Amino acid sequence: MSSRDAGPAASRRRPPWLAVVGTLRFVVTLAVAAAMFLPFFWMFSSSLMTYQESIRVPPVWWPEVPQWHHYLEVLRDPRVPLGLYFKNSVIVSSAVTLLVLVTSSMAGYALTKLDFPGRDAIFRLFLATMMFPAFLFLVPVYYILKRMPLMGGNDILGLGGTGALQSHLALILPFAVSAWGIFLMRQFMMSVPDELVDAARIDGASELSIWSRIMLPLTRPALATIAIFTFIGQWNYLLWPLIVTTSAQHLATVPVGIRMMATAYSTALNAGKLQAATVMAIVPTIVLFLTMQRHYIRGFALTGFK
């Protein structure tokens, strides 16, 4: 082999230290993945253990005889109607996710493709709301819902009844608009060429038609990302549903139900049942994430978030 042929081959040969770095990166990634998976495995394993196995030292990683009846006993317990909690969580999480997708995409389109006075100031105002912790708004929002006119026995002035507090609206309306969702949609829509929107306007399309027929299909990865985060966040949210459902337990969601179970199964002998309920509570979020993870990763890649 001549020196001319050996040169490019030598330049393509990887240095040994690169192989070592690649191996270390693989080992670290594998260790992090195992550390993240371990709590889920332990939760599932302990839901199948007897009380003696769950307190054994050293710990038992898998029960000798899995106690599958823990799941059936939780589902059949009349004190904690898990089916009702799942139904309420599905209604609330789905409604909030749908509303956030609509409001975020509409606001993102308006803040990106429409030219009107104060557009940048409005966007900065949305960003400013992200700096305040959510619990600051709990009391004002509670009284706004309680004083809603002509709802829950209220008169035209919002007095005399419970307002929207005794309905699913109390769990849905406060989360119908997301500043983070608007920010993400605006960033994504900025990558859509203005010429595409201008061409549609020249052809006579209305702004609503451009938003629904052009922008929504092009921003599908961002919509999927917002949908995953919103649904999982609402599914796991505890504080606001706990406040609202104190006087309306038929509206309790899954996190509130798990808290009720912690009271009903307060003895250590029922730890397996409580873990079984927790496992069932996280199944929908895991299925949703695994189903939409391809769109989720693409959405983050296209918007530049890490």
Side-chain angles (χ1 to χ4, degrees):
M1 179 181 294
S2 65
S3 59
R4 180 178 297 178
D5 297 332
S11 63
R12 289 196 299 269
R13 192 179 301 134
R14 295 180 61 190
W17 64 269
L18 276 180
V20 175
V21 171
T23 304
L24 287 176
R25 183 181 299 174
F26 176 76
V27 172
V28 171
T29 303
L30 193 63
V32 172
M36 297 181 69
F37 176 74
L38 185 60
F40 294 98
F41 173 77
W42 177 254
M43 181 171 58
F44 177 68
S45 175
S46 60
S47 70
L48 302 175
M49 293 181 185
T50 61
Y51 170 67
Q52 290 75 17
E53 288 174 328
S54 64
I55 63 173
R56 189 174 299 172
V57 179
V60 178
W61 290 101
W62 188 254
E64 295 179 3
V65 180
Q67 307 295 312
W68 296 103
H69 61 87
H70 286 167
Y71 289 84
L72 292 177
E73 291 174 359
V74 168
L75 291 174
R76 294 171 179 172
D77 193 338
R79 296 174 298 173
V80 281
L82 197 59
L84 177 63
Y85 304 153
F86 268 93
K87 175 185 172 184
N88 290 331
S89 282
V90 169
I91 292 174
V92 173
S93 301
S94 301
V96 170
T97 302
L98 181 61
L99 288 173
V100 166
L101 290 179
V102 173
T103 56
S104 297
S105 58
M106 279 189 163
Y109 175 72
L111 294 172
T112 307
K113 302 302 180 187
L114 299 182
D115 189 13
F116 56 90
R119 185 181 68 174
D120 294 337
I122 293 175
F123 177 63
R124 294 191 188 98
L125 183 62
F126 275 118
L127 293 182
T129 61
M130 299 171 64
M131 301 178 185
F132 297 96
F135 65 84
L136 288 180
F137 304 100
L138 293 181
V139 175
V141 170
Y142 182 88
Y143 279 100
I144 289 173
L145 293 171
K146 186 178 180 181
R147 300 297 187 190
M148 292 191 78
L150 305 178
M151 293 190 66
N154 280 354
D155 57 18
I156 190 64
L157 299 177
L159 301 174
T162 58
L165 291 178
Q166 301 289 339
S167 65
H168 284 103
L169 286 177
L171 299 170
I172 295 172
L173 283 182
F175 306 98
V177 178
S178 167
W180 176 81
I182 294 172
F183 173 71
L184 187 65
M185 289 303 300
R186 179 183 179 273
Q187 296 302 109
F188 200 94
M189 287 184 178
M190 288 178 66
S191 63
V192 178
D194 293 338
E195 291 78 6
L196 191 62
V197 178
D198 293 337
R201 288 171 180 157
I202 293 174
D203 289 341
S206 64
E207 298 297 337
L208 183 61
S209 179
I210 296 172
W211 167 75
S212 61
R213 297 185 179 183
I214 297 177
M215 301 304 290
L216 287 186
L218 292 176
T219 56
R220 196 176 303 163
L223 292 172
T225 304
I226 296 173
I228 292 174
F229 272 90
T230 304
F231 188 91
I232 293 178
Q234 282 300 313
W235 188 273
N236 295 324
Y237 196 38
L238 172 64
L239 182 57
W240 180 250
L242 190 63
I243 295 173
V244 171
T245 60
T246 300
S247 58
Q249 295 193 356
H250 64 283
L251 298 176
T253 56
V254 169
V256 179
I258 296 296
R259 185 182 177 277
M260 293 180 183
M261 289 180 183
T263 303
Y265 301 151
S266 58
T267 62
L269 294 174
N270 292 316
K273 296 180 184 177
L274 187 59
Q275 293 285 39
T278 308
V279 170
M280 288 188 283
I282 67 171
V283 167
T285 57
I286 293 177
V287 171
L288 177 68
F289 180 80
L290 294 179
T291 303
M292 303 183 70
Q293 64 172 337
R294 180 169 59 88
H295 301 287
Y296 161 77
I297 295 173
R298 185 163 178 257
F300 267 78
L302 292 177
T303 50
F305 283 96
K306 299 292 183 183

